[in-house]
Amino acid sequence: VVRLDEIEETNTAHNIIKKKVFLKNGDVPHVTQFAQARVPPGEEIEEHSHQTMWEVFHVLKGKGVFHLSGESYLIETGTVIKVPPKQIHRIQNTSDGDLILAYFGIAE
């Protein structure tokens, strides 16, 4: 059992974005990570891809733009996006408050 308020917020590999990790690689077969990210207003998760991992994002709070393989999608609370391996993606927070995302990675 894991409680969000008991997890320490840490840095991500993406600039100033913070995360809380519920499950790390090896905790559950095929799941590389299950976490919550906090993207401050006006910030973004820069363009990147994962060679052998699917990624699924669920917007818990806020609004933004999700860029996926040349297409842009407006996202808001309740939006879910799946990203196949090797697909370039980027997430921008376009709101005045934090953009909160739950996300997990699944090894191919």
Side-chain angles (χ1 to χ4, degrees):
V1 176
V2 178
R3 292 180 45 92
L4 181 63
D5 60 355
E6 296 173 352
I7 299 172
E8 184 178 341
E9 193 172 66
T10 60
N11 292 324
T12 68
H14 308 288
N15 52 43
I16 66 166
I17 310 308
K18 302 291 186 183
K19 69 178 176 181
K20 291 187 174 193
V21 178
F22 304 113
L23 297 172
K24 62 186 182 310
N25 196 10
D27 287 346
V28 174
H30 310 291
V31 174
T32 61
Q33 182 172 221
F34 175 42
Q36 177 178 287
R38 180 175 57 82
V39 183
E43 296 295 332
E44 68 178 49
I45 297 172
E46 70 271 1
E47 189 173 86
H48 67 284
S49 64
H50 307 280
Q51 293 304 303
T52 60
M53 181 183 78
W54 285 79
E55 213 166 14
V56 178
F57 295 88
H58 179 216
V59 180
L60 301 176
K61 180 181 176 185
K63 293 182 180 181
V65 180
F66 198 105
H67 304 274
L68 177 61
S69 298
E71 298 289 327
S72 297
Y73 304 91
L74 296 177
I75 58 173
E76 62 185 0
T77 303
T79 303
V80 174
I81 295 186
K82 67 178 179 179
V83 180
K86 301 180 180 112
Q87 298 297 302
I88 296 172
H89 55 286
R90 176 170 63 103
I91 306 167
Q92 293 177 285
N93 180 352
T94 58
S95 67
D96 294 333
D98 286 340
L99 175 62
I100 307 294
L101 305 160
Y103 66 99
F104 58 94
I106 304 168
E108 197 173 35

